[in-house]
Structure formats: C-alpha cells, structure tokens
Amino acid sequence: MGRIARKKQHKGDKPLKEKYRTKRKTKDLDQIHVDMRPENSERLLNQDVDLDKAGAGQFYCLHCAKYCISKAALESHFRSKPHKRRIKALQIEPYTQEEAERAAGMGSYMAPKKVKVQTQPSKDATESTGLMDT
C-alpha cells in the first residue's frame, strides 16, 4: 500500500454533513401541490410588500417556491432548466395515505395520475388581458 492509499482512508464526517445539509432546502412537491390550490395560490401570488423578502415579495414562482428580485429575473427563471424540471416533477399526482396502504398490500395497485401543470401567467399579462376584455 503506497503513501497515497494510506492517506485517503479516513473521510471523517464530511459526507454526512453534505448529506444532511439544509441550507438550500426547498419545499417538497406535496407541499407545493397544496400551494397550487386556487385559494392558496391567489394568496401567494398577490402578497403584500415585505422588504425582508427578495423583490419585496412581489415576484414569486409558485412551482419552485422561490422569490425573484425583479420581473425580468422571474421571466428568465420561467425559461430556466430547473423550473422546467420542477414543472415536470409536479405533473405526477402526490402520494396519499391510500396509495401507501395499497403499496403495503392492502389493496390493488393503481398507477399515479397525471396533473396538468403550466407556468403561472405574469401579472402584467393578466392585467392587460383584463383591459382588453372590457
């Protein structure tokens, strides 16, 4: 065994720290499905001004649970790969207790259903369409 092989045997607790790191922890998919309900989404998309949040809390991505600093940043986030991945992950119906019981052998298997998820419309687009209808 050479000097290099002997030296790299002890990793310490660094892999554990990286595994359980919660600094950039985001909402889970089932929590976002709850936020996507009409009564919750209306409240989240039309928040009061809060200077402690990025962009004063006015530019919020509902699907990623992320605040952006400006409208341009939000629009570029909608075109980004992480946002598109999150949209695709949200298209599968969240797990329920009934599905867990079926997996444990207390019922027959049913494939998860698809949920139609689209990127939220921007505030200016909804306001301009409202003006065109009148």
Side-chain angles (χ1 to χ4, degrees), residues 1 3 5 7 10 22 26 28 32 34 51 54 56 60 84 90 99-100 102-103 110 114 116 123:
M1 201 185 296
R3 183 179 67 83
K7 193 171 185 180
H10 301 286
T22 59
T26 59
D28 290 328
I32 293 176
V34 171
L51 298 178
Y60 182 73
K84 291 177 183 178
L90 286 170
E99 187 172 356
R102 286 194 302 265
M110 294 174 62
K114 291 282 188 173
K116 186 174 181 183
K123 288 182 181 179

Side-chain angles (χ1 to χ4, degrees), residues 3 11-13 25 32 34 37-38 47 51 74 78 81 87 98 103 121 123 125 130 133:
R3 183 179 67 83
K11 296 181 180 178
D13 63 344
K25 179 83 172 116
I32 293 176
V34 171
R37 293 181 184 153
Q47 296 181 22
L51 298 178
L74 184 65
F78 288 156
K81 194 176 268 190
I87 292 286
E98 292 81 23
K123 288 182 181 179
D133 292 339

